[in-house]
Amino acid sequence: MQAKGRCLCGQATYAIDGDMLWAGSCYCRDCQRESGGGHLTAIAVPGAAIEANGTLKTYTAPGGSGTDIDRTFCSECGSTLFSHPHVMGDTRIVRAGTLEDSSSVQPGMAVFCSQSVAWDPPHEDVPTFAEMPPIQ
Ligand SMILES: [Zn+2]
Ligand SMILES: [Zn+2]
């Protein structure tokens, strides 16, 4: 896939040129806090496929697996563009809502559904997992 995206203020941008590995929605508490909603939808791409520009900051904290997740966001407006869960090797998890055109994104699974909230239940037309299934 080839795609572009940006943060809320537009200071930070990125370009993707490479294969999309998977797309999914995460309902964990961390994604609820990051997004301010009940879930976060993202696409996974190889690290080499994404190039970011602008002034970025990275927040690192352990994820559900206990290993670190780097979340990279605009230093000005705070929009997270992508994350790098170390447990997934080189894979970057791009926030679907930051894509210039997200119309082709089709989440193939919903993860951490055990933490979902009643006001934003997981879609029933995709496989749902209570925690994180083993994927790269
Ligand atoms: Zn920004
Ligand atoms: Zn999550």
Side-chain angles (χ1 to χ4, degrees):
M1 69 180 289
Q2 288 191 322
K4 291 184 189 313
R6 69 170 179 89
C7 64
L8 177 60
C9 76
Q11 181 272 129
T13 61
Y14 64 84
I16 296 170
D17 187 356
D19 291 334
M20 189 186 77
L21 305 173
W22 47 263
S25 297
C26 184
Y27 289 78
C28 83
R29 289 292 285 133
D30 286 351
C31 286
Q32 290 170 19
R33 291 193 172 96
E34 182 194 312
S35 68
H39 74 278
L40 186 155
T41 298
I43 63 169
V45 300
I50 185 165
E51 187 178 311
N53 287 290
T55 307
L56 301 162
K57 277 189 168 181
T58 297
Y59 170 69
T60 302
S65 67
T67 56
D68 279 347
I69 299 176
D70 301 328
R71 288 179 175 80
T72 298
F73 55 94
C74 171
S75 66
E76 193 64 31
C77 71
S79 295
T80 302
L81 299 179
F82 51 87
S83 64
H84 175 206
H86 293 193
V87 71
M88 292 185 192
D90 179 51
T91 301
R92 299 297 191 277
I93 312 297
V94 181
R95 277 41 183 164
T98 65
L99 290 162
E100 290 296 343
D101 179 4
S102 63
S103 60
S104 65
V105 174
Q106 283 193 307
M109 61 185 165
V111 302
F112 284 108
C113 296
S114 61
Q115 299 177 30
S116 65
V117 291
W119 44 267
D120 187 15
H123 288 283
E124 288 175 359
D125 54 351
V126 297
T128 58
F129 300 88
E131 303 288 328
M132 188 71 190
I135 52 168
Q136 292 298 308

